[in-house]
Amino acid sequence: MNFLIAAISIGFLGSFHCVGMCGPIALALPVHKHPPLKRYALIALYNLGRITTYSVFGLTAGIVGQSFAMAGLQQGLSVTLGILLLAGVFLPFKNSLSGYSFFLWIKTTLGRLFSRGNRSSLFIVGVLNGFLPCGLVYLGLAGAMASGDAFRGATFMAAF
């Protein structure tokens, strides 16, 4: 139960960051021409897409954490993840082009999907939004991995 409180707390406290970073995507969703009930349903589909991506990431991170726990390396994993997160905050990193083409594809695909504005496209916009790089998501994934369990990792990220 404490891990859920941690996930919800990270998500809530990070929401101020999210408003600035992903808020423009949410505000640009082509839902404003619809009546209120349909608009809320379309926004819910978008958010369901994000939660789906985060849950799958959490499941994967939980499986990795479970593997470390079974090998008796869970504590070392937790310490290493903490050090890497702190290093990411305090050490300057140069931008790499390794993921550039992937993120360019996401950007292009998001543009196409926004112009459609139907139910399935809004769900996919949410799914793709979950792939955008975000330090808070990385923090959530570290928590999911530290949970040491696939189900708890997925639940952690869904609550996040």
Side-chain angles (χ1 to χ4, degrees):
M1 185 63 171
N2 287 339
F3 80 100
L4 282 180
I5 293 170
I8 292 169
S9 297
I10 293 168
F12 179 74
L13 293 173
S15 64
F16 300 107
H17 162 81
C18 298
V19 166
M21 298 306 290
C22 291
I25 294 172
L27 289 174
L29 293 174
V31 298
H32 302 290
K33 64 183 177 186
H34 299 290
L37 189 58
K38 184 170 184 178
R39 183 179 323 141
Y40 296 137
L42 292 171
I43 292 169
L45 276 172
Y46 160 75
N47 283 301
L48 182 64
R50 282 185 323 103
I51 292 168
T52 300
T53 300
Y54 294 155
S55 296
V56 170
F57 286 168
L59 177 77
T60 305
I63 289 170
V64 171
Q66 190 172 8
S67 299
F68 276 85
M70 289 189 327
L73 302 172
Q74 181 68 24
Q75 185 175 7
L77 173 67
S78 297
V79 170
T80 302
L81 288 173
I83 291 169
L84 289 174
L85 286 171
L86 289 173
V89 170
F90 294 113
L91 297 177
F93 291 101
K94 292 190 180 241
N95 293 334
S96 79
L97 297 176
S98 60
Y100 180 76
S101 60
F102 175 69
F103 295 118
L104 182 62
W105 175 83
I106 287 179
K107 179 182 168 185
T108 305
T109 305
L110 284 173
R112 276 195 314 255
L113 292 169
F114 267 94
S115 65
R116 290 185 193 158
N118 59 24
R119 288 184 299 237
S120 62
S121 66
L122 288 176
F123 176 78
I124 296 170
V125 165
V127 167
L128 291 177
N129 185 28
F131 281 91
L132 295 175
C134 175
L136 283 172
V137 173
Y138 303 149
L139 177 63
L141 287 172
M145 194 177 295
S147 74
D149 179 78
F151 177 76
R152 286 170 53 112
T155 306
F156 187 94
M157 286 303 290
F160 162 79

